[in-house]
């Protein structure tokens, strides 16, 4: 019985505890539901308020479109940079723009003409688009490789809204660069009075006009501020000093008229030894632009890229290549007769065409002369490419007759005329003047009997050709006198590659080929 009652009491106690826990869980769940419903209602109300204030994303899209529009950021450009149009090119000049801003450009179209160190080359476009902005105008000089010269945009974009990048460095000036300080520009006279200390120390260097002005007015040259090259006191410096000096009363001359230099006034001559009366400046003064040049002055002429490269390569050739010279006389009677026979058949060829053919055939017969010098030593060449010197207004350039040994004289003549005309017009392509193995320079048409040419590196030889002349010669067999048409050729050879013995054998073989033109067709 006791056990029965204890079990009933135990069940009732646990049932009350379960009831209390369930009641607590139900109340917590009710509170959670109530709070969740209130949060959901609050979120819906906030969404309604947001929708009432911003009914759509139209305004946000417009703002985003504005900040991404070309009016703010600009149209992204296609950059056009100064290209390397020759292996030795370091800078170029913009000669002429063939396209204008706003014009449509296709890949392969000519954009502009660029003067390189060899010739004027046409630059072609690599992309399709519209030329939006020209950054380097016509006449821009010394433009370094990789410099931004123009901007393009893609087709369909507004080229007027192109984004111009900020330049990394200021562009070079369009006009010629002058390395010295200008001496002809007007300067406001700010010369110090005579009471200050002399501004020039050391040996004085005066132009003749400045010396005459200072000596005439009795002014110490050391008071002048030199603005000429290497501290030269120019005429303008003397005039500026004279304008800033106080007026002086004329003093009677104490020297006789026979004395050339005038005597300086003792009242206005500062302490210091006067310049020697017979001293002359080491460098003449520059001439003033727009004024007639005084005796002893000069005018600086800006050098083109071609002239600078010619000067650089000639200096390199004469200072680094041991030149050796050898001359020989060639009888041109057979060539002259063959030219007349060909002219009757309306085939016009020049003497220079036969010389090119003879040199090419001789190089093929003696491949040890067909070499070039590089940093690691001699390089033997497989093909014979003859460079012919052509004089142009921009300087000397050497277009190439490629594989001349396997071409006839008529074909060489036609190709030489085309290349010479393109060289004078500045239209040579890089492959038309690069890679020669032997050079020929002919001054015979100017009446030059003979001369020595400078080797064109990395080539080993250059042949200098003079004019033909008539000479009387006594025959050994019958003791009669005959007239010969002799032409002197002088070969300059690189002593590292072609020694004197090899050069002599080459000239002897060259003479044999030229005096017997039929042999060249069999070689």
């Amino acid at each position: 019985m006791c056990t029965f009652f204890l079990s009933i009491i135990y069940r009732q106690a646990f049932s009350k505890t379960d009831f209390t826990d369930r009641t607590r869980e139900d109340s917590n769940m009710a509170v959670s539901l109530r709070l969740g419903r209130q949060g959901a209602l609050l979120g819906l109300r906030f969404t309604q308020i947001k929708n009432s204030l911003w009914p759509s994303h139209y305004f946000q899209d417009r703002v985003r479109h504005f900040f991404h529009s070309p009016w703010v950021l600009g149209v992204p450009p296609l950059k056009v940079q100064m290209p390397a149009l020759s292996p030795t090119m370091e800078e170029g000049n913009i000669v002429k723009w063939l396209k204008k801003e706003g014009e449509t450009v296709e890949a392969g179209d000519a954009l502009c003409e660029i003067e390189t160190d060899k010739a004027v080359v046409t630059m072609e476009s690599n992309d399709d688009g519209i030329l939006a902005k020209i950054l380097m105008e016509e006449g821009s000089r010394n433009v370094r490789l990789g410099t931004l010269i123009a901007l393009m945009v893609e087709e369909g974009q507004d080229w007027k809204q192109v984004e111009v990048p900020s330049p990394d460095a200021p562009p070079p000036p369009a006009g010629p660069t002058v390395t010295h300080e200008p001496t002809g520009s007007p300067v406001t006279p700010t010369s110090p009075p005579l009471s200050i200390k002399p501004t020039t120390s050391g040996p004085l260097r005066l132009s003749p006009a400045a010396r005459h002005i200072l000596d005439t007015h009795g002014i110490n040259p050391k008071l002048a501020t030199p603005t000429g090259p290497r501290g030269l006191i120019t005429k303008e410096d003397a005039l500026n000093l004279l304008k800033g000096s106080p007026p002086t009363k004329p003093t009677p001359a104490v020297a006789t008229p026979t004395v050339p230099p005038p005597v300086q006034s003792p009242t206005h001559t500062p302490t210091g030894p006067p310049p020697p009366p017979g001293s002359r400046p080491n460098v003449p003064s520059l001439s003033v632009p727009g004024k007639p040049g005084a005796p002893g002055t000069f005018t600086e002429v800006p050098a083109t890229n071609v002239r600078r490269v010619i000067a650089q390569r000639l200096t390199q050739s004469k200072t680094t290549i041991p030149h050796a010279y050898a001359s020989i006389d060639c009888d041109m009677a057979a060539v002259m007769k063959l030219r007349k026979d060909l002219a009757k058949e309306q085939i016009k060829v020049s003497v220079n065409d036969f010389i090119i053919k003879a040199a090419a055939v001789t190089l093929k017969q003696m491949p040890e002369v067909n070499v070039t010098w590089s940093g690691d030593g001699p390089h033997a060449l497989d093909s014979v490419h003859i460079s012919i010197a052509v004089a142009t207004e921009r300087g000397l350039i050497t277009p190439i007759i490629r594989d001349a040994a396997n071409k006839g004289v008529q074909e060489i003549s036609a190709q030489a005329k085309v290349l010479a005309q393109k060289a004078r017009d500045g239209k040579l392509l890089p492959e038309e003047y690069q890679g020669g193995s032997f050079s020929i320079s002919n001054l015979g048409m100017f009446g030059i009997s003979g001369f020595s040419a400078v080797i064109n590196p990395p080539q080993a030889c250059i042949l200098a050709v003079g004019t033909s002349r008539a000479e009387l010669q006594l025959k050994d067999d019958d003791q009669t006198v005959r007239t010969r048409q002799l032409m002197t050729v002088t070969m300059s050879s690189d002593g590292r590659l072609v020694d004197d013995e090899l050069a002599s054998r080459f000239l002897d073989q060259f003479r044999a080929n030229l005096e017997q033109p039929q042999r060249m067709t069999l070689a």
Side-chain angles (χ1 to χ4, degrees), residues 1-208:
M1 281 302 280
C2 292
T3 304
F4 175 75
F5 283 110
L6 287 174
S7 63
I8 293 175
I9 295 171
Y10 181 79
R11 283 198 300 268
Q12 288 179 353
F14 274 92
S15 63
K16 288 181 180 180
T17 302
D18 294 341
F19 177 76
T20 303
D21 294 338
R22 283 195 299 270
T23 303
R24 187 181 295 110
E25 291 176 359
D26 292 341
S27 72
N28 290 339
M29 186 179 296
V31 172
S32 300
L33 292 175
R34 197 161 47 247
L35 291 177
R37 184 171 65 250
Q38 292 177 357
L41 292 175
L42 182 61
L44 290 174
R45 290 174 184 174
F46 179 77
T47 303
Q48 292 175 359
I49 294 174
K50 181 180 177 182
N51 292 336
S52 63
L53 293 177
W54 295 283
S56 66
H57 296 281
Y58 176 77
F59 179 72
Q60 298 176 2
D61 294 339
R62 297 294 294 177
V63 171
R64 187 181 300 108
H65 176 72
F66 173 76
F67 280 100
H68 286 275
S69 64
W71 294 93
V72 177
L73 298 179
V75 178
L78 302 175
K79 297 182 180 180
V80 181
Q81 298 176 337
M82 173 65 72
L85 300 176
S86 69
T88 57
M89 177 181 173
E90 296 180 357
E91 57 186 20
N93 302 335
I94 305 296
V95 178
K96 182 180 180 181
W97 281 98
L98 305 178
K99 292 288 186 178
K100 298 180 180 179
E101 293 182 359
E103 290 189 4
T104 302
V105 179
E106 296 181 358
D109 288 353
L111 279 180
C112 63
E113 294 180 353
I114 298 177
E115 180 186 5
T116 68
D117 57 344
K118 297 292 186 181
V120 177
V121 183
T122 301
M123 175 185 172
E124 298 180 352
S125 174
N126 297 326
D127 303 306
D128 297 335
I130 302 174
L131 183 60
K133 185 68 175 178
I134 295 177
L135 301 179
M136 293 292 174
E137 299 293 339
E138 295 182 359
S140 298
R141 303 179 62 84
N142 305 329
V143 183
R144 303 291 297 180
L145 296 182
T147 303
L148 199 61
I149 62 176
L151 298 175
M152 293 175 54
V153 297
E154 297 180 355
E155 296 180 357
Q157 292 182 336
D158 189 0
W159 62 273
K160 296 181 179 179
Q161 302 299 328
V162 64
E163 180 184 357
V164 180
S166 58
D168 297 335
T177 57
V178 182
T179 58
H180 59 270
E181 296 180 1
T183 60
S185 58
V187 181
T188 305
T190 58
S191 299
L194 292 177
S195 59
I196 66 170
K197 295 182 179 180
T199 59
T200 304
S201 61
L204 293 175
R205 303 180 63 254
L206 289 84
S207 67

Side-chain angles (χ1 to χ4, degrees), residues 322-359:
H323 282 58
Y325 306 97
S327 300
I328 196 170
D329 290 334
C330 302
D331 191 352
M332 303 300 293
V335 172
M336 296 297 185
K337 182 179 182 302
L338 183 57
R339 283 189 65 206
K340 292 181 180 179
D341 296 340
L342 293 176
K344 295 178 182 178
E345 301 178 6
Q346 302 301 320
I347 300 176
K348 297 181 179 181
V349 292
S350 65
V351 175
N352 199 55
D353 300 328
F354 284 96
I355 295 173
I356 295 173
K357 178 65 176 179

